[in-house]
Amino acid sequence: MTTPGLPYVRPAALAGRHFSTVIVGAGINGVGVFRDLSLQGVDCLIVDKSDFAAGASSAPSRMIHGGLRYLESGAFALVAEATRERNLLLRNAPHLVRPLETVVPLSSRFGGLLGSVLRFAGFTASPGARGVFVVALGLRLYDRLGRRQRVMPEHRIARASAADEALFRDTVGWTATYFDAWITHPEWLILELMADAHADQPASLAANYCNVTACRGKTLYLRDELTGETVEVTADTVVNATGAWLDRSADVLEGEGARVMGTKGSHLILDHPALRAALDGRMVYFEASDGRVCIVYPFMDRVLVGSTDIPVDDPDQAATEPAEIDYLLSVLGEVFPRLSFGRGDVVYTYVGVRPLAHSQADKPGQISRDHAVVIDPPNAVRDVPLICLVGGKWTTFRSLAELAANQVLAQLGRSRLRLTEALAIGGGAGMPTDSQDRELMADAIQRQSGLTRERIDILVSRYGSRAGRLAQVFAGAGDVPLRHARDYSEAEIRTLCQETGVQHLADLVIRRTLLAIRGCVTNGLLAELADLAAAALGWTATRRREEWLACTAILRDRHFVDIDLIPSLITT
């Protein structure tokens, strides 16, 4: 059964149930459809073979942006849509999505002009280093396209300052500055969307580690990946929102394939105080010597660097390769030659596979980031329409979800009741945007809960307007800080385990908290989290040991986090 007020269920609770729509894939696009349809009163089930947001949706550059570089290919509609959606997220999720000042170092006045003209005209051309003229033209158009819903500061071009000259390579003579946005915790926004959906339509439910194994007639066969148990549900429509796995899922769902191709983007998290201080809160958006566009910006108390763009055939096998780490460190050295970078600075890596529409483009960077919704009609095996989400990017999830939801509503013969455009998400509802009003809100939470102001500020930064309720819950339990990560508390970890669908220790460590991506996980912390999760979820000592070992292996093998095994911790 599901906990009252929460959408999470195990497959056994779904046996024999009927849903108007079953959504396969609980990444940002699938969850966007789940939220939109639930708002229209449609009862939905969303399932994922892994954890919620465990695929590409948990591995973006954490930028919420309009896609400045897409202008060169003439993708004005995509940029207009993306900047509009960026502005909506800044308004609807201000607790998680924040403005990001961005600097582009420039070394010439007219560099890249011919290549830009050729690409704009539809020809294939080597990018070349873009100069002041090309970047200024692009930013002028970018500003114009992005001035809806929110007035962002206009771009500016200036001669490199003394601070810029001390930071960048010697050839940099100018800088261009503009604003985009970034998201602190994308996985948490996905959980908030699911909670909002269930609040709008209590019949809408979600199951992670729940794999669709077949679709026959109106019946979908679901396998619980934790127990191996198989159950059946029926549906009137099915949505395939599996991203880079779309074609593989099509085989199971009796749909058409050959619609997507994947390119992986690897990112590094650095513990590099000198670089973080030099960035001074800004992102640097730059071109490497091979023409690849890269980014680097302060992320919490670390620095985020990204990303590669490499074609992959199997999304399940995508991993950051040592050569990619060396590549990203080397391009940092190109742009910031007065600083040194080495593998010892890397505290975490992650990789996601972008679900791009199938293309014959010569280079991954030339593939469109646009999206589409395609319907596979019922066939001899499947009696329900299959609505497929092709392509897309994190920033535009809401607009893609709206397109898909409209198609589902049409198939169901139902009408749209509400729009999502002005709808706040999770802790963004009632979240003050003015700094003075935020101070007043924090003051009120402090009076009601009795927690310290430092702790209140942390909770508000994580949970927005919902920090007030959580602060009282945590305070009632004592809000004892973790021994090895004092900005989280034991009560907070227990709540995350019990109220967010945690099934494995890795779910908690990597996606429900920011501990892993901030490079905070040590042997002691992992053991402490394993103990709290075991108590909250009723794990046996054997299960606790298995979870600890499995999480350690994931951190080591997939995220380059080196945690030495300590026998006394894994045998308790």
Side-chain angles (χ1 to χ4, degrees):
M1 296 296 290
T2 183
T3 303
L6 297 172
Y8 313 111
V9 295
R10 296 309 307 147
L14 301 170
R17 296 281 297 269
H18 177 81
F19 294 90
S20 295
T21 300
V22 171
I23 302 164
V24 185
I28 185 57
N29 290 326
V31 169
V33 178
F34 182 68
R35 182 268 198 119
D36 196 323
L37 288 174
S38 296
L39 187 67
Q40 317 313 321
V42 177
D43 55 305
C44 303
L45 170 66
I46 187 167
V47 300
D48 199 290
K49 68 176 185 177
S50 186
D51 188 23
F52 307 119
S57 295
S58 67
S61 296
R62 279 173 157 72
M63 287 180 61
I64 301 297
H65 67 106
L68 174 64
R69 67 188 178 92
Y70 308 150
L71 290 174
E72 281 189 333
S73 58
F76 299 124
L78 174 60
V79 175
E81 177 186 32
T83 52
R84 176 174 180 271
E85 294 301 320
R86 174 201 66 192
N87 295 347
L88 289 175
L89 277 168
L90 281 163
R91 184 180 70 185
N92 295 333
H95 58 312
L96 296 177
V97 180
R98 299 160 191 178
L100 178 62
E101 183 178 1
T102 302
V103 176
V104 184
L106 303 169
S107 298
S108 69
R109 289 185 181 275
F110 300 105
L113 180 58
L114 178 60
S116 295
V117 170
L118 290 173
R119 284 192 302 281
F120 185 80
F123 296 98
T124 300
S126 177
R130 296 163 181 85
V132 173
F133 183 83
V134 170
V135 171
L137 185 63
L139 286 174
R140 187 172 293 113
L141 182 56
Y142 197 63
D143 284 348
R144 186 177 184 86
L145 292 172
R147 298 185 74 79
R148 301 179 185 177
Q149 293 83 38
R150 180 187 178 99
V151 178
M152 299 287 275
E154 291 190 356
H155 80 275
R156 61 183 185 272
I157 306 287
R159 279 281 186 181
S161 66
D164 292 331
E165 290 174 351
L167 177 62
F168 297 122
R169 55 196 169 203
D170 292 337
T171 57
V172 172
W174 301 264
T175 59
T177 301
Y178 69 100
F179 281 81
D180 260 324
W182 69 294
I183 181 168
T184 55
H185 198 172
E187 301 94 336
W188 189 255
L189 187 137
I190 287 174
L191 293 172
E192 288 189 319
L193 286 167
M194 288 196 293
D196 288 350
H198 184 66
D200 292 326
Q201 169 53 282
S204 289
L205 302 174
N208 55 355
Y209 298 99
C210 178
N211 197 9
V212 178
T213 59
C215 181
R216 301 287 185 270
K218 290 192 171 186
T219 301
L220 288 96
Y221 298 83
L222 310 177
R223 183 178 66 235
D224 188 326
E225 294 296 297
L226 303 180
T227 67
E229 180 181 5
T230 298
V231 299
E232 300 174 13
V233 299
T234 56
D236 297 318
T237 56
V238 177
V239 175
N240 186 351
T242 54
W245 290 263
L246 186 79
D247 292 344
R248 293 167 184 260
S249 299
D251 292 339
V252 173
L253 296 170
E254 304 297 332
E256 298 296 324
R259 285 180 170 143
V260 297
M261 59 185 297
T263 70
K264 69 172 180 174
S266 289
H267 303 77
L268 311 182
I269 302 296
L270 306 184
D271 180 9
H272 201 298
L275 176 59
R276 189 179 185 281
L279 291 170
D280 193 25
R282 306 171 300 171
M283 181 175 83
V284 175
Y285 179 82
F286 62 92
E287 291 176 277
S289 57
D290 61 0
R292 171 71 193 151
V293 174
C294 298
I295 61 168
V296 54
Y297 67 93
F299 176 77
M300 314 296 279
D301 49 356
R302 305 300 189 196
V303 176
L304 187 152
V305 184
S307 70
T308 56
D309 199 4
I310 301 171
V312 294
D313 295 324
D314 185 354
D316 286 318
Q317 300 302 315
T320 300
E321 302 295 334
E324 293 178 90
I325 297 176
D326 293 338
Y327 169 79
L328 290 170
L329 292 175
S330 70
V331 298
L332 281 179
E334 290 178 14
V335 179
F336 310 109
R338 295 167 183 82
L339 298 174
S340 60
F341 304 95
R343 286 201 182 182
D345 300 319
V346 180
V347 296
Y348 191 80
T349 73
Y350 64 92
V351 60
V353 179
R354 305 174 182 93
L356 307 180
H358 202 274
S359 170
Q360 299 299 319
D362 295 330
K363 297 181 180 180
Q366 297 171 348
I367 303 172
S368 172
R369 266 54 175 176
D370 211 343
H371 54 240
V373 177
V374 181
I375 299 177
D376 289 344
N379 55 31
V381 178
R382 171 179 39 79
D383 290 343
V384 295
L386 178 62
I387 294 88
C388 303
L389 278 60
V390 180
K393 57 199 291 284
W394 227 104
T395 305
T396 55
F397 81 86
R398 190 210 62 84
S399 55
L400 174 55
E402 184 177 88
L403 287 175
N406 287 340
Q407 294 289 352
V408 173
L409 291 170
Q411 295 293 328
L412 295 174
R414 301 175 66 161
S415 300
R416 175 172 286 278
L417 304 177
R418 294 179 62 188
L419 293 171
T420 58
E421 192 172 280
L423 198 61
I425 299 170
M431 182 69 183
T433 55
D434 180 80
S435 59
Q436 186 174 359
D437 290 339
R438 287 196 181 196
E439 290 291 319
L440 292 174
M441 183 184 78
D443 289 341
I445 296 173
Q446 186 176 17
R447 287 194 302 270
Q448 294 163 4
S449 67
L451 298 181
T452 67
R453 184 51 179 271
E454 180 183 12
R455 178 66 170 146
I456 296 300
D457 289 343
I458 289 172
L459 294 178
V460 170
S461 72
R462 286 181 189 151
Y463 307 114
S465 61
R466 294 182 176 176
R469 179 188 71 83
L470 291 170
Q472 293 190 54
V473 171
F474 301 161
D479 202 47
V480 178
L482 299 185
R483 297 188 305 277
H484 300 90
R486 298 190 66 81
D487 57 336
Y488 282 88
S489 73
E490 293 180 1
E492 186 174 2
I493 295 300
R494 284 194 296 269
T495 299
L496 292 174
C497 288
Q498 294 169 343
E499 296 190 3
T500 65
V502 167
Q503 305 298 332
H504 290 297
L505 182 59
D507 302 338
L508 173 68
V509 174
I510 296 173
R511 286 174 288 278
R512 304 303 189 273
T513 71
L514 293 166
L515 292 167
I517 197 170
R518 287 170 51 207
C520 297
V521 180
T522 62
N523 278 305
L525 176 58
L526 198 58
E528 189 176 9
L529 293 172
D531 289 339
L532 289 167
L537 300 173
W539 292 344
T540 64
T542 299
R543 171 73 184 276
R544 180 243 183 234
R545 177 180 181 275
E546 291 171 347
E547 291 291 340
W548 196 95
L549 287 170
C551 187
T552 298
I554 291 171
L555 289 170
R556 181 188 63 239
D557 298 339
R558 300 193 64 83
H559 300 288
F560 279 79
V561 178
D562 184 16
I563 297 180
D564 296 325
L565 297 180
I566 300 178
S568 62
L569 293 179
I570 65 172
T571 58
T572 56

